Amino acid sequence: MTVVGPFGLSVQDRDLTRDVQAGMDAVEAALIEAVKSDVPFITVTASHLIEAGGKRFRPLLVMLSAQFGDPNAPGIVPAAVVVELTHLATLYHDDVMDEAPVRRGAPSANSRWDNSVAILTGDFLFSRASQVLSELGPDAVRIQSDAFERLVTGQILETAGPRPEDDPLRHYLDVLAGKTGSLIAVSCRFGAMMAGAEPEVVDLLTQYGERIGTAFQLADDVLDIASDGHESGKTPGTDLREGVPTLPVLLLRQMPADPADPEDTRLRELLDTDLAADDEAHAEALRLLRRHPALERARRETLRYAEEAAALLTALPDCPAKTALQELCDSVAIRTM
């Protein structure tokens, strides 16, 4: 069994392993070339997150989706580079907005240099993604521009927060669909489209990408509460400490309070305080939320998105790539246990 890509995805088919790994290696080399500049300092800043590593989840989905057509078609690797450069650019901007000191185990660009350098480097990566994209034709440009609009809209919605008349949970899911689902959906779409897959296959894989992207983000919400930190890669309860309303907390707030349950009452009180300022209160809130029915509801909601993604795969022709995509759905369940 050969492991290829993030989340422990394993591929048992030798030919698929070879094709996917060759594609991922080509993407890595192309990313390094794409961020080179005549200005040495820009090359350093633009290479910063590439050198820090990462899951390369989006390029992996491009490669797997391309298996439903000609996986050696010339547009596949450039399309994977486009989606990964776009993703990397958003990380530079996100770290500025979040004042994040670390990204992928290394100092973030904004902490290593400053906010202006980080923002401009993100802009530089967007420009390089556009250059690569321009060679893929007008349809690809239109698809990517639509996805980019959704991505930015999701970020704006998150920054602005829900309006008084909005359902906070619906607002949150809309944010995830824009910020995460849009680019992952395009990854699947580009892979299948560039490989010349049938239009109905392209459409199914696009829908799959939208749902699996949301499922993995929701799984991160569950992991932030339920894990010991090894799986999520960050300190448990980080979102809770920072007051970020993720799926378990949003579901809890939708549930009626139980005055007969002192733990439910206490947890709601804690969630209305500044947990960043009190380590003991944060630890207590984390402990209570792990035992609250809202966490199990969050698991079920996450699995629902994964099951919807898996159901879309049933109409696709059987092949090793289909099995690998199914395994990604299964891994959501494993991550949320």
Side-chain angles (χ1 to χ4, degrees):
M1 182 177 292
T2 304
V3 175
V4 180
F7 310 115
L9 176 63
S10 58
V11 178
Q12 299 185 38
D13 184 86
R14 183 174 299 176
D15 291 338
L16 177 60
T17 299
R18 183 191 63 244
D19 287 349
V20 170
Q21 192 60 61
M24 297 294 282
D25 291 344
V27 169
E28 203 67 25
L31 285 171
I32 293 170
E33 287 298 315
V35 300
K36 287 182 178 178
S37 168
D38 292 338
V39 180
F41 179 66
I42 295 177
T43 302
V44 171
T45 63
S47 302
H48 181 63
L49 285 184
I50 292 176
E51 293 173 351
K55 301 181 183 74
R56 304 288 190 262
F57 186 41
R58 291 152 188 82
L60 174 65
L61 287 173
V62 174
M63 297 303 148
L64 289 174
S65 298
Q67 294 292 319
F68 293 88
D70 175 8
N72 298 310
I76 294 168
V77 169
V81 171
V82 167
V83 293
E84 187 65 11
L85 284 176
T86 303
H87 172 60
L88 290 169
T90 65
L91 298 184
Y92 280 84
H93 288 180
D94 282 351
D95 286 346
V96 171
M97 296 180 68
D98 298 340
E99 300 180 350
V102 175
R103 169 70 70 175
R104 295 178 174 175
S108 61
N110 49 295
S111 63
R112 180 173 173 181
W113 293 288
D114 58 35
N115 284 348
S116 295
V117 168
I119 291 169
L120 292 170
T121 299
D123 293 344
F124 174 79
L125 292 178
F126 282 132
S127 72
R128 287 299 172 90
S130 297
Q131 289 177 16
V132 178
L133 180 65
S134 67
E135 301 296 323
L136 297 177
D139 285 346
V141 172
R142 177 184 54 79
I143 290 166
Q144 174 72 358
S145 64
D146 289 346
F148 191 53
E149 179 183 346
R150 288 186 61 204
L151 193 158
V152 174
T153 299
Q155 183 63 71
I156 292 172
L157 286 174
E158 181 180 57
T159 302
R163 297 169 299 177
E165 65 270 25
D166 290 339
D167 174 6
L169 178 58
R170 182 69 261 164
H171 177 272
Y172 179 66
L173 293 173
D174 287 344
V175 167
L176 293 192
K179 284 189 62 178
T180 303
S182 60
L183 197 57
I184 292 178
V186 165
S187 300
C188 293
R189 185 172 185 177
F190 273 171
M193 186 176 79
M194 295 299 166
E198 294 296 324
E200 58 270 24
V201 172
V202 175
D203 183 58
L204 285 170
L205 286 167
T206 302
Q207 294 180 56
Y208 166 86
E210 182 91 24
R211 285 164 177 77
I212 199 66
T214 300
F216 270 105
Q217 189 59 55
L218 293 177
D220 282 347
D221 289 358
V222 173
L223 281 169
D224 183 62
I225 301 301
S227 80
D228 60 7
H230 291 96
E231 172 68 21
S232 63
K234 62 182 181 180
T235 303
T238 296
D239 294 329
L240 192 64
R241 181 184 293 278
E242 296 175 354
V244 177
T246 58
L247 184 62
V249 172
L250 289 168
L251 288 173
L252 182 148
R253 294 193 181 282
Q254 279 194 340
M255 300 169 68
D258 184 359
D261 182 354
E263 288 195 348
D264 178 75
T265 302
R266 175 58 177 161
L267 177 56
R268 292 171 189 271
E269 291 174 352
L270 289 168
L271 292 177
D272 289 332
T273 65
D274 181 7
L275 296 176
D278 189 332
D279 288 345
E280 290 186 5
H282 172 262
E284 183 183 3
L286 184 60
R287 176 176 56 82
L288 292 174
L289 188 52
R290 284 172 171 168
R291 299 208 298 246
H292 197 280
L295 183 59
E296 182 56 35
R297 284 188 61 187
R299 285 193 175 98
R300 292 200 302 269
E301 183 69 9
T302 301
L303 291 175
R304 182 175 69 81
Y305 276 89
E307 288 164 359
E308 289 178 356
L312 289 164
L313 296 175
T314 58
L316 295 176
D318 290 333
C319 63
K322 178 178 175 178
T323 302
L325 292 172
Q326 176 63 59
E327 189 172 331
L328 282 175
C329 299
D330 295 340
S331 69
V332 172
I334 295 170
R335 296 176 81 223
T336 55
M337 291 298 290

